[in-house]
Amino acid sequence: MSIYYSGTFKRSSGVISAITKQLKKVNLKPVKKIQVQFDPFHPNAVTARDFLFHITTPKVLESNLNCVIKPNVVCDRSEPEIKVDLLEKGSVKFLANNLTVLEILQQFNKHVSSLAKPEEETPVQVTKLEKKRQKKR
Amino acid sequence: MALAVRGILRERFYPVVQAKRFRGKINIQRPKPLHFDRAVFTELTKPWYLNPKRLKTPIELCSKPTDKIIEDVDNPYQKIIARELRERFDQSRLIAFYHRNSMNSDQQYKAYVAFIKAKMHIKTYGKKTLEMAVKDTKFEPVLDFYVSQNVMVFSPEPDIKQLLKVTKKFPQMVLLAAIFEGKFISKDEVMELHLIPNLQTAQAALVQTLNSATTTLTQQLNSHQNTLVSNLQERVKQLEEHK
């Protein structure tokens, strides 16, 4: 009789929801150290500072507790940059001068988070009692 | 006249009541076609209005109206807070600016307590309030790096060592810059100032360097006598041991 609801149930809140979506995908397992370098008086230091804030949220840090995130404040008006040292050989450097936070996170997910090996799901042993309870439900 | 009034009151007026509808739904969807005259009358007396958009140019129609943009209403409480902030800026001899990463409220409280113990006040203000407080003053450059998450620490005494000591315990707070005795200093300069000892030791060091020439001269003049004295003392010790 009535038409089914079409469209989204939730509304997106703009850039922040895109950033949160990327942050959920971020996996710091293949990372040994992240060094965020910026000069506070540089006009484009916002992105580096925002990136530093997002990456130090507890949920992101949980993915790898051994990863060290080091903020480096410099005073020579150099451009902001983010250096990511990987566990395996190599490092990724983001020149944050003309990038937005969203772009940095997208590229981070593309190059760094993708290197993380997917977790193997251990087969859960179901006892007889639990099976009975599940059947009852 | 009074009698006429009473006469009206005496006569009762009983209206004739004729029921039009009894229960049932009213008909809106399929109205009966009207009598021609009535139809003509209703059609002619229907209201019509001129389109308000008819004489407007495309640019007027397509651009956004500026008078609909609501400007920020004057907020007296914000002005009070801004004034208080300005007083803090003028009175504190050391002001430190930090970038704040995400912290638990437990951690935030611990930081607050640690700074209070060092007689410093940790404060967070919004950019708008800061703008109100600091615009057209010598502290205006603060607004340049007041982006993202920020925290300010005000100290009445210019004690950099204490400040850095407390900051070390909280790695989520990243020192950006400071104002020392009314002058802006960058982070490197803060580190340099931290290494400078206090006034007394600096004065002692200065006195030492000034006297260094005379002390070396006296040392060299007295060197022979001193060696003689030390040798004699050793000989005395040897003799005592032999006894």
Side-chain angles (χ1 to χ4, degrees), chain A residues 78-118:
Chain A
S78 60
E79 288 165 4
E81 59 183 34
I82 299 157
K83 199 174 172 196
V84 181
D85 291 328
L86 303 167
L87 273 174
E88 298 142 30
K89 285 179 202 173
S91 68
V92 185
K93 197 172 182 183
F94 293 91
L95 299 169
N97 195 15
N98 291 318
L99 290 170
T100 59
V101 188
L102 182 60
E103 284 165 8
I104 296 177
L105 282 168
Q106 281 168 343
Q107 295 299 317
F108 189 93
N109 282 329
K110 186 176 159 189
H111 294 285
V112 179
S113 305
S114 54
L115 298 170
K117 289 165 197 169

mmCIF file of all heavy atoms in Angstrom, chain A residues 78-118:
data_model
loop_
_atom_site.group_PDB
_atom_site.id
_atom_site.type_symbol
_atom_site.label_atom_id
_atom_site.label_comp_id
_atom_site.label_asym_id
_atom_site.label_seq_id
_atom_site.Cartn_x
_atom_site.Cartn_y
_atom_site.Cartn_z
ATOM 1 N N SER A 78 59.325 25.964 8.453
ATOM 2 C CA SER A 78 59.345 24.928 7.420
ATOM 3 C C SER A 78 57.940 24.376 7.247
ATOM 4 O O SER A 78 57.073 24.555 8.096
ATOM 5 C CB SER A 78 60.298 23.805 7.818
ATOM 6 O OG SER A 78 59.870 23.230 9.021
ATOM 7 N N GLU A 79 57.732 23.689 6.098
ATOM 8 C CA GLU A 79 56.383 23.218 5.812
ATOM 9 C C GLU A 79 56.058 22.008 6.683
ATOM 10 O O GLU A 79 56.951 21.224 7.014
ATOM 11 C CB GLU A 79 56.282 22.853 4.335
ATOM 12 C CG GLU A 79 56.287 24.108 3.488
ATOM 13 C CD GLU A 79 56.566 23.809 2.035
ATOM 14 O OE1 GLU A 79 56.683 22.636 1.675
ATOM 15 O OE2 GLU A 79 56.663 24.770 1.276
ATOM 16 N N PRO A 80 54.804 21.835 7.013
ATOM 17 C CA PRO A 80 54.475 20.696 7.874
ATOM 18 C C PRO A 80 54.584 19.384 7.117
ATOM 19 O O PRO A 80 54.216 19.306 5.951
ATOM 20 C CB PRO A 80 53.013 20.972 8.267
ATOM 21 C CG PRO A 80 52.499 21.883 7.240
ATOM 22 C CD PRO A 80 53.637 22.669 6.717
ATOM 23 N N GLU A 81 55.105 18.360 7.804
ATOM 24 C CA GLU A 81 55.194 17.042 7.172
ATOM 25 C C GLU A 81 54.971 15.945 8.205
ATOM 26 O O GLU A 81 55.164 16.150 9.395
ATOM 27 C CB GLU A 81 56.536 16.856 6.480
ATOM 28 C CG GLU A 81 57.723 16.992 7.394
ATOM 29 C CD GLU A 81 59.029 16.871 6.635
ATOM 30 O OE1 GLU A 81 59.093 17.299 5.471
ATOM 31 O OE2 GLU A 81 59.984 16.342 7.215
ATOM 32 N N ILE A 82 54.527 14.804 7.689
ATOM 33 C CA ILE A 82 54.231 13.658 8.557
ATOM 34 C C ILE A 82 55.041 12.479 8.042
ATOM 35 O O ILE A 82 54.891 12.064 6.887
ATOM 36 C CB ILE A 82 52.731 13.323 8.513
ATOM 37 C CG1 ILE A 82 51.928 14.538 9.017
ATOM 38 C CG2 ILE A 82 52.433 12.122 9.368
ATOM 39 C CD1 ILE A 82 50.513 14.555 8.535
ATOM 40 N N LYS A 83 55.884 11.928 8.904
ATOM 41 C CA LYS A 83 56.728 10.801 8.486
ATOM 42 C C LYS A 83 56.286 9.556 9.234
ATOM 43 O O LYS A 83 56.206 9.556 10.466
ATOM 44 C CB LYS A 83 58.194 11.115 8.803
ATOM 45 C CG LYS A 83 59.143 10.263 8.040
ATOM 46 C CD LYS A 83 60.565 10.696 8.260
ATOM 47 C CE LYS A 83 61.494 9.690 7.635
ATOM 48 N NZ LYS A 83 62.859 9.810 8.103
ATOM 49 N N VAL A 84 55.992 8.523 8.456
ATOM 50 C CA VAL A 84 55.509 7.269 9.040
ATOM 51 C C VAL A 84 56.569 6.201 8.816
ATOM 52 O O VAL A 84 56.852 5.848 7.669
ATOM 53 C CB VAL A 84 54.176 6.857 8.369
ATOM 54 C CG1 VAL A 84 53.662 5.585 8.976
ATOM 55 C CG2 VAL A 84 53.152 7.959 8.489
ATOM 56 N N ASP A 85 57.164 5.670 9.906
ATOM 57 C CA ASP A 85 58.152 4.591 9.788
ATOM 58 C C ASP A 85 57.447 3.264 9.952
ATOM 59 O O ASP A 85 56.754 3.031 10.939
ATOM 60 C CB ASP A 85 59.212 4.720 10.894
ATOM 61 C CG ASP A 85 60.097 5.932 10.680
ATOM 62 O OD1 ASP A 85 60.326 6.296 9.501
ATOM 63 O OD2 ASP A 85 60.540 6.518 11.671
ATOM 64 N N LEU A 86 57.642 2.382 8.975
ATOM 65 C CA LEU A 86 56.948 1.091 9.023
ATOM 66 C C LEU A 86 57.806 0.057 9.727
ATOM 67 O O LEU A 86 59.024 0.181 9.812
ATOM 68 C CB LEU A 86 56.633 0.611 7.602
ATOM 69 C CG LEU A 86 55.792 1.586 6.774
ATOM 70 C CD1 LEU A 86 55.806 1.170 5.330
ATOM 71 C CD2 LEU A 86 54.369 1.636 7.291
ATOM 72 N N LEU A 87 57.145 -0.993 10.215
ATOM 73 C CA LEU A 87 57.850 -2.086 10.894
ATOM 74 C C LEU A 87 58.806 -2.783 9.934
ATOM 75 O O LEU A 87 59.964 -3.071 10.256
ATOM 76 C CB LEU A 87 56.849 -3.112 11.438
ATOM 77 C CG LEU A 87 56.282 -2.852 12.834
ATOM 78 C CD1 LEU A 87 55.212 -3.880 13.147
ATOM 79 C CD2 LEU A 87 57.342 -2.880 13.892
ATOM 80 N N GLU A 88 58.249 -3.094 8.752
ATOM 81 C CA GLU A 88 59.132 -3.618 7.695
ATOM 82 C C GLU A 88 59.905 -2.436 7.151
ATOM 83 O O GLU A 88 59.608 -1.292 7.457
ATOM 84 C CB GLU A 88 58.300 -4.248 6.571
ATOM 85 C CG GLU A 88 57.486 -5.415 7.032
ATOM 86 C CD GLU A 88 56.119 -5.424 6.357
ATOM 87 O OE1 GLU A 88 56.013 -4.933 5.216
ATOM 88 O OE2 GLU A 88 55.163 -5.908 6.969
ATOM 89 N N LYS A 89 60.886 -2.728 6.315
ATOM 90 C CA LYS A 89 61.720 -1.613 5.843
ATOM 91 C C LYS A 89 60.883 -0.605 5.070
ATOM 92 O O LYS A 89 60.043 -0.964 4.259
ATOM 93 C CB LYS A 89 62.815 -2.155 4.913
ATOM 94 C CG LYS A 89 63.914 -2.863 5.653
ATOM 95 C CD LYS A 89 64.948 -3.396 4.657
ATOM 96 C CE LYS A 89 65.729 -4.525 5.298
ATOM 97 N NZ LYS A 89 66.625 -5.173 4.335
ATOM 98 N N GLY A 90 61.153 0.638 5.289
ATOM 99 C CA GLY A 90 60.511 1.679 4.491
ATOM 100 C C GLY A 90 59.796 2.703 5.360
ATOM 101 O O GLY A 90 59.534 2.480 6.543
ATOM 102 N N SER A 91 59.521 3.823 4.737
ATOM 103 C CA SER A 91 58.769 4.858 5.443
ATOM 104 C C SER A 91 57.963 5.641 4.418
ATOM 105 O O SER A 91 58.311 5.702 3.237
ATOM 106 C CB SER A 91 59.709 5.791 6.199
ATOM 107 O OG SER A 91 60.472 6.543 5.303
ATOM 108 N N VAL A 92 56.874 6.212 4.883
ATOM 109 C CA VAL A 92 56.000 7.011 4.019
ATOM 110 C C VAL A 92 56.030 8.443 4.548
ATOM 111 O O VAL A 92 55.924 8.664 5.744
ATOM 112 C CB VAL A 92 54.548 6.482 4.060
ATOM 113 C CG1 VAL A 92 53.682 7.236 3.089
ATOM 114 C CG2 VAL A 92 54.522 5.002 3.766
ATOM 115 N N LYS A 93 56.185 9.383 3.655
ATOM 116 C CA LYS A 93 56.253 10.780 4.073
ATOM 117 C C LYS A 93 55.108 11.557 3.425
ATOM 118 O O LYS A 93 54.938 11.528 2.211
ATOM 119 C CB LYS A 93 57.581 11.357 3.615
ATOM 120 C CG LYS A 93 57.973 12.640 4.301
ATOM 121 C CD LYS A 93 59.413 12.989 3.898
ATOM 122 C CE LYS A 93 59.877 14.215 4.589
ATOM 123 N NZ LYS A 93 61.225 14.616 4.170
ATOM 124 N N PHE A 94 54.332 12.223 4.254
ATOM 125 C CA PHE A 94 53.248 13.055 3.747
ATOM 126 C C PHE A 94 53.650 14.516 3.870
ATOM 127 O O PHE A 94 53.958 14.975 4.955
ATOM 128 C CB PHE A 94 51.967 12.848 4.582
ATOM 129 C CG PHE A 94 51.353 11.492 4.464
ATOM 130 C CD1 PHE A 94 51.694 10.484 5.333
ATOM 131 C CD2 PHE A 94 50.412 11.227 3.486
ATOM 132 C CE1 PHE A 94 51.120 9.228 5.232
ATOM 133 C CE2 PHE A 94 49.820 9.992 3.387
ATOM 134 C CZ PHE A 94 50.186 8.983 4.251
ATOM 135 N N LEU A 95 53.631 15.235 2.753
ATOM 136 C CA LEU A 95 53.902 16.670 2.811
ATOM 137 C C LEU A 95 52.562 17.359 2.995
ATOM 138 O O LEU A 95 51.758 17.468 2.082
ATOM 139 C CB LEU A 95 54.566 17.135 1.516
ATOM 140 C CG LEU A 95 55.908 16.457 1.225
ATOM 141 C CD1 LEU A 95 56.357 16.755 -0.180
ATOM 142 C CD2 LEU A 95 56.962 16.887 2.215
ATOM 143 N N ALA A 96 52.311 17.785 4.245
ATOM 144 C CA ALA A 96 50.964 18.241 4.598
ATOM 145 C C ALA A 96 50.701 19.692 4.241
ATOM 146 O O ALA A 96 49.716 20.264 4.685
ATOM 147 C CB ALA A 96 50.751 18.041 6.093
ATOM 148 N N ASN A 97 51.572 20.288 3.426
ATOM 149 C CA ASN A 97 51.405 21.718 3.145
ATOM 150 C C ASN A 97 50.121 22.013 2.393
ATOM 151 O O ASN A 97 49.370 22.908 2.741
ATOM 152 C CB ASN A 97 52.612 22.204 2.342
ATOM 153 C CG ASN A 97 52.699 23.706 2.313
ATOM 154 O OD1 ASN A 97 52.049 24.398 3.092
ATOM 155 N ND2 ASN A 97 53.490 24.221 1.401
ATOM 156 N N ASN A 98 49.853 21.240 1.330
ATOM 157 C CA ASN A 98 48.678 21.532 0.500
ATOM 158 C C ASN A 98 47.641 20.430 0.526
ATOM 159 O O ASN A 98 46.824 20.325 -0.370
ATOM 160 C CB ASN A 98 49.120 21.762 -0.953
ATOM 161 C CG ASN A 98 49.895 23.054 -1.078
ATOM 162 O OD1 ASN A 98 49.523 24.063 -0.498
ATOM 163 N ND2 ASN A 98 50.988 23.016 -1.810
ATOM 164 N N LEU A 99 47.685 19.603 1.573
ATOM 165 C CA LEU A 99 46.689 18.539 1.666
ATOM 166 C C LEU A 99 45.683 18.854 2.763
ATOM 167 O O LEU A 99 45.971 19.609 3.685
ATOM 168 C CB LEU A 99 47.370 17.204 2.011
ATOM 169 C CG LEU A 99 48.246 16.571 0.934
ATOM 170 C CD1 LEU A 99 49.016 15.411 1.536
ATOM 171 C CD2 LEU A 99 47.414 16.082 -0.222
ATOM 172 N N THR A 100 44.504 18.244 2.649
ATOM 173 C CA THR A 100 43.538 18.341 3.751
ATOM 174 C C THR A 100 43.635 17.074 4.592
ATOM 175 O O THR A 100 44.198 16.067 4.172
ATOM 176 C CB THR A 100 42.107 18.462 3.224
ATOM 177 O OG1 THR A 100 41.829 17.314 2.437
ATOM 178 C CG2 THR A 100 41.914 19.709 2.397
ATOM 179 N N VAL A 101 43.050 17.147 5.779
ATOM 180 C CA VAL A 101 43.125 16.005 6.703
ATOM 181 C C VAL A 101 42.496 14.764 6.075
ATOM 182 O O VAL A 101 43.019 13.658 6.181
ATOM 183 C CB VAL A 101 42.407 16.315 8.026
ATOM 184 C CG1 VAL A 101 42.652 15.226 9.035
ATOM 185 C CG2 VAL A 101 42.858 17.641 8.563
ATOM 186 N N LEU A 102 41.376 14.985 5.404
ATOM 187 C CA LEU A 102 40.662 13.859 4.784
ATOM 188 C C LEU A 102 41.538 13.172 3.753
ATOM 189 O O LEU A 102 41.644 11.934 3.714
ATOM 190 C CB LEU A 102 39.376 14.375 4.146
ATOM 191 C CG LEU A 102 38.469 13.346 3.500
ATOM 192 C CD1 LEU A 102 38.012 12.317 4.492
ATOM 193 C CD2 LEU A 102 37.271 14.020 2.860
ATOM 194 N N GLU A 103 42.219 13.974 2.928
ATOM 195 C CA GLU A 103 43.081 13.396 1.890
ATOM 196 C C GLU A 103 44.231 12.612 2.514
ATOM 197 O O GLU A 103 44.566 11.518 2.064
ATOM 198 C CB GLU A 103 43.635 14.515 0.996
ATOM 199 C CG GLU A 103 42.604 15.038 0.012
ATOM 200 C CD GLU A 103 43.017 16.354 -0.614
ATOM 201 O OE1 GLU A 103 44.160 16.781 -0.404
ATOM 202 O OE2 GLU A 103 42.176 16.943 -1.301
ATOM 203 N N ILE A 104 44.824 13.200 3.568
ATOM 204 C CA ILE A 104 45.945 12.515 4.225
ATOM 205 C C ILE A 104 45.478 11.154 4.756
ATOM 206 O O ILE A 104 46.156 10.136 4.599
ATOM 207 C CB ILE A 104 46.534 13.358 5.380
ATOM 208 C CG1 ILE A 104 47.151 14.653 4.845
ATOM 209 C CG2 ILE A 104 47.563 12.574 6.149
ATOM 210 C CD1 ILE A 104 47.675 15.571 5.910
ATOM 211 N N LEU A 105 44.301 11.155 5.396
ATOM 212 C CA LEU A 105 43.805 9.898 5.972
ATOM 213 C C LEU A 105 43.492 8.875 4.880
ATOM 214 O O LEU A 105 43.759 7.679 5.043
ATOM 215 C CB LEU A 105 42.566 10.165 6.822
ATOM 216 C CG LEU A 105 42.839 10.753 8.207
ATOM 217 C CD1 LEU A 105 41.547 11.237 8.828
ATOM 218 C CD2 LEU A 105 43.490 9.746 9.119
ATOM 219 N N GLN A 106 42.947 9.363 3.764
ATOM 220 C CA GLN A 106 42.626 8.441 2.664
ATOM 221 C C GLN A 106 43.899 7.791 2.128
ATOM 222 O O GLN A 106 43.960 6.569 1.927
ATOM 223 C CB GLN A 106 41.918 9.195 1.542
ATOM 224 C CG GLN A 106 40.453 9.452 1.815
ATOM 225 C CD GLN A 106 39.846 10.429 0.835
ATOM 226 O OE1 GLN A 106 40.543 11.148 0.144
ATOM 227 N NE2 GLN A 106 38.539 10.468 0.785
ATOM 228 N N GLN A 107 44.923 8.617 1.930
ATOM 229 C CA GLN A 107 46.180 8.083 1.411
ATOM 230 C C GLN A 107 46.856 7.173 2.432
ATOM 231 O O GLN A 107 47.482 6.167 2.080
ATOM 232 C CB GLN A 107 47.128 9.233 1.031
ATOM 233 C CG GLN A 107 46.623 10.080 -0.114
ATOM 234 C CD GLN A 107 46.440 9.290 -1.388
ATOM 235 O OE1 GLN A 107 47.285 8.476 -1.736
ATOM 236 N NE2 GLN A 107 45.339 9.509 -2.052
ATOM 237 N N PHE A 108 46.714 7.551 3.708
ATOM 238 C CA PHE A 108 47.269 6.721 4.775
ATOM 239 C C PHE A 108 46.647 5.333 4.744
ATOM 240 O O PHE A 108 47.341 4.306 4.821
ATOM 241 C CB PHE A 108 46.982 7.396 6.128
ATOM 242 C CG PHE A 108 47.673 6.768 7.306
ATOM 243 C CD1 PHE A 108 48.896 7.243 7.724
ATOM 244 C CD2 PHE A 108 47.100 5.722 7.996
ATOM 245 C CE1 PHE A 108 49.539 6.684 8.816
ATOM 246 C CE2 PHE A 108 47.730 5.152 9.077
ATOM 247 C CZ PHE A 108 48.948 5.635 9.489
ATOM 248 N N ASN A 109 45.310 5.318 4.605
ATOM 249 C CA ASN A 109 44.630 4.022 4.537
ATOM 250 C C ASN A 109 45.047 3.228 3.310
ATOM 251 O O ASN A 109 45.203 2.017 3.352
ATOM 252 C CB ASN A 109 43.111 4.225 4.533
ATOM 253 C CG ASN A 109 42.589 4.520 5.918
ATOM 254 O OD1 ASN A 109 43.145 4.060 6.894
ATOM 255 N ND2 ASN A 109 41.527 5.288 5.989
ATOM 256 N N LYS A 110 45.260 3.969 2.219
ATOM 257 C CA LYS A 110 45.604 3.296 0.962
ATOM 258 C C LYS A 110 46.977 2.657 1.035
ATOM 259 O O LYS A 110 47.186 1.526 0.620
ATOM 260 C CB LYS A 110 45.560 4.341 -0.159
ATOM 261 C CG LYS A 110 45.742 3.803 -1.549
ATOM 262 C CD LYS A 110 45.567 4.943 -2.543
ATOM 263 C CE LYS A 110 46.233 4.606 -3.851
ATOM 264 N NZ LYS A 110 46.269 5.761 -4.755
ATOM 265 N N HIS A 111 47.940 3.401 1.607
ATOM 266 C CA HIS A 111 49.322 2.916 1.562
ATOM 267 C C HIS A 111 49.751 2.177 2.804
ATOM 268 O O HIS A 111 50.554 1.275 2.745
ATOM 269 C CB HIS A 111 50.276 4.112 1.346
ATOM 270 C CG HIS A 111 50.098 4.743 0.009
ATOM 271 N ND1 HIS A 111 50.556 4.173 -1.142
ATOM 272 C CD2 HIS A 111 49.487 5.887 -0.357
ATOM 273 C CE1 HIS A 111 50.252 4.954 -2.182
ATOM 274 N NE2 HIS A 111 49.599 5.987 -1.730
ATOM 275 N N VAL A 112 49.262 2.596 3.979
ATOM 276 C CA VAL A 112 49.787 2.031 5.226
ATOM 277 C C VAL A 112 48.840 1.004 5.833
ATOM 278 O O VAL A 112 49.244 -0.113 6.128
ATOM 279 C CB VAL A 112 50.063 3.168 6.251
ATOM 280 C CG1 VAL A 112 50.580 2.607 7.550
ATOM 281 C CG2 VAL A 112 51.052 4.148 5.673
ATOM 282 N N SER A 113 47.581 1.379 6.002
ATOM 283 C CA SER A 113 46.644 0.449 6.657
ATOM 284 C C SER A 113 46.434 -0.804 5.817
ATOM 285 O O SER A 113 46.139 -1.867 6.363
ATOM 286 C CB SER A 113 45.306 1.124 6.915
ATOM 287 O OG SER A 113 45.467 2.292 7.650
ATOM 288 N N SER A 114 46.588 -0.676 4.509
ATOM 289 C CA SER A 114 46.384 -1.833 3.639
ATOM 290 C C SER A 114 47.467 -2.883 3.830
ATOM 291 O O SER A 114 47.289 -4.051 3.514
ATOM 292 C CB SER A 114 46.351 -1.399 2.183
ATOM 293 O OG SER A 114 47.515 -0.651 1.886
ATOM 294 N N LEU A 115 48.628 -2.462 4.396
ATOM 295 C CA LEU A 115 49.714 -3.416 4.618
ATOM 296 C C LEU A 115 49.449 -4.314 5.819
ATOM 297 O O LEU A 115 50.127 -5.331 5.996
ATOM 298 C CB LEU A 115 51.034 -2.664 4.854
ATOM 299 C CG LEU A 115 51.534 -1.794 3.710
ATOM 300 C CD1 LEU A 115 52.698 -0.941 4.182
ATOM 301 C CD2 LEU A 115 51.960 -2.635 2.535
ATOM 302 N N ALA A 116 48.472 -3.911 6.654
ATOM 303 C CA ALA A 116 48.192 -4.712 7.851
ATOM 304 C C ALA A 116 47.550 -6.016 7.444
ATOM 305 O O ALA A 116 46.624 -6.043 6.642
ATOM 306 C CB ALA A 116 47.263 -3.938 8.771
ATOM 307 N N LYS A 117 48.064 -7.137 8.028
ATOM 308 C CA LYS A 117 47.497 -8.442 7.677
ATOM 309 C C LYS A 117 46.149 -8.590 8.349
ATOM 310 O O LYS A 117 45.998 -8.232 9.501
ATOM 311 C CB LYS A 117 48.431 -9.560 8.153
ATOM 312 C CG LYS A 117 49.703 -9.643 7.362
ATOM 313 C CD LYS A 117 50.738 -10.480 8.081
ATOM 314 C CE LYS A 117 52.121 -10.214 7.493
ATOM 315 N NZ LYS A 117 53.187 -10.780 8.304
ATOM 316 N N PRO A 118 45.144 -9.135 7.623
ATOM 317 C CA PRO A 118 43.820 -9.279 8.268
ATOM 318 C C PRO A 118 43.882 -10.323 9.374
ATOM 319 O O PRO A 118 44.584 -11.314 9.268
ATOM 320 C CB PRO A 118 42.906 -9.724 7.123
ATOM 321 C CG PRO A 118 43.825 -10.318 6.125
ATOM 322 C CD PRO A 118 45.144 -9.625 6.247
#
